[in-house]
Amino acid sequence: MEFLDKLEVFRQREKELAWEGTFRDYLNLVKENPEITQLSHARIYNMIVSEGVEEVNGVKRYKFFSSEIFGLDRTLETLVEEYFHSSARRTEVRKRILVLMGPVSGGKSTIVMMLKRGLEKFSRANLGAIYSIKGCPMHEEPLHLIPKELRAEFQREYNVYIEGNLCPHCRMRLNTEWGGKIEEVPVERLFISEEDRIGIGTFSPSDPKSQDIADLTGSIDFSTISEFGSESDPRAYRFDGELNKANRGMMEFQEMLKADEKFLWHLLSLSQEGNFKAGRFALISADELICAHTNENEYKSFVSNKKNEALLSRMIIVKVPYNLKVSEEVKIYEKLIAQSDLKHIHIAPHALRAAAIFSVLSRLKDSKKQGMDLLKKMRLYDGEDVEGFKQKDLLELQNEASDEGMSGVDPRYVINRLSSAFIRKDTVCINPLDVLRALKDGLDQHPSISKEEKERYLNFIAAARREYDELAKKEVQKAFVYAYEESARTILNNYLDNVEAFCNGVKIKDPITDEELDPDEKLMRSIEEQIGVSENAKKAFREEILIRLSSYARRGKAFEYTSHERLKEAIEKKLFSDLKDVVKITTSTRTPNAEQLKRINEVTARLMEDHDYCPVCANELLRYTGSLLNR
């Protein structure tokens, strides 16, 4: 479809979504679908869960956040279940200001941005449809037209609870324009839009001497006072403050704890009673989520001031720490890089992982548990079982350090350093060593780290380098094993012959002399020891292999060395161990012979085909691995 055709389809859809009618028509819609009257907190909760929820290892994962937020599943579960779900049920929690508190670049602003963008999209869906009194500057819920005396009866008939009162502007129009006939009041469908200031407000504190409270609550229009004769006439007032415009949706209060206290006083009544004072009017109802974000130091300073106790009691604090999973950290970098214009530069496999290892190590806290170091903790957090610990120990470790993830290297620093590596002259590919070098060089320019912290970070870079060294050797090992696949099959067949004889208690026939021999224990153990199968566990392991072999035979399938994951790993390690000298010589020689050159080309092709290497980083990997093996 041509772009202009798509534009026409878009315009047509916008026309179809639009709806106008009277209050009488609106009541028919309410009877058909009471959900259209839901309050802002319930709408946001339904918006999030409508995208889908899955449970992973006992923690809920919300697909609504999955494209932008990584590694914060527990935080998001707390946010959605303990705040939005409770608020959606009209508990006292909805009368609290939501404050996201955490370190810089931890995802607080991204969460708020996603809620705002989500509301804009959700208001265009059937499930999130919103309706308002046409012409109301605060996009008011039409049910506010119903007199208080009739609301209990309305609730019995429609099963809808009405909360809030008409704004001064609509109250005046009801009497002057519509003669009190609420059934004739025009109603329209509302589409939330931050750009049009409909249902989303944003307040950012600036100089308290020059910033006016009118930014929050609106102001008198002095040019119309002579026309309407009074400052208390709603027609002489601009209902254009952020609290007015955010009605029916949400208001983001940026850096709330930096704001002058006169701006915060209005939040006391709004959060607890659902209304605020503006101009010379009675309290004005507002249905909106107030969401603020701040860092830990500002929050601690705010808490220490006794004057802030009233506001503190009206806050729900949700900690938003840094991500602590290496695999999720990589996704953060991939997302940020994808937003740049650097797609022509190839990023070698494990380059972002090396940076992620460094970042996550800097955020972890030392454990008091015996045998648990930071590297083990990092792997455990990332879903691996480590020696002495399983995934069931994860919760205990997480509870051990409540402030874990609230400090350390932030993603912005890493992306800044990656950018410096990207823009070097003639760069076509960056590898893990380039990344670690850029991170190390950047520590000298980092404005806020002490000498002790720098030393600690250098140790983490060294640890990330060691992790990469193991990954590099393993990658080349696998590629070489594929190049010597026939050798791997020979090892497998020898092992299986001996395992079969061992399990069946029979001897094995020598293929050349026909001599009957005992199963070759030395050969079997040389393979099993590669994956840590102990002497006591060898019998069970061999029986497991024999069962798998029999299962394949019954189904007429060939049993390959890749048919059993642990056996595959053992054979690859055994073969690589046998080939270590060959690999060492092949990868490090400056003038390879024809056979070596053939192997190098096979290995390079395998790296490019299966592991996303380019010719540049594949050759660099082989050279680097050769230097590692020669040490």
Side-chain angles (χ1 to χ4, degrees), residues 42-57:
R43 183 173 293 108
I44 293 171
Y45 174 72
N46 288 332
M47 169 188 78
I48 294 169
V49 298
S50 68
E51 294 283 325
V53 186
E54 58 183 359
E55 196 162 309
V56 181
N57 297 325

Side-chain angles (χ1 to χ4, degrees), residues 149-167:
E149 294 79 4
L150 297 176
R151 289 186 179 183
E153 193 173 324
F154 177 84
Q155 186 175 358
R156 282 193 296 272
E157 184 176 342
Y158 284 80
N159 196 28
V160 172
Y161 176 78
I162 302 172
E163 186 174 296
N165 302 306
L166 277 177
C167 71

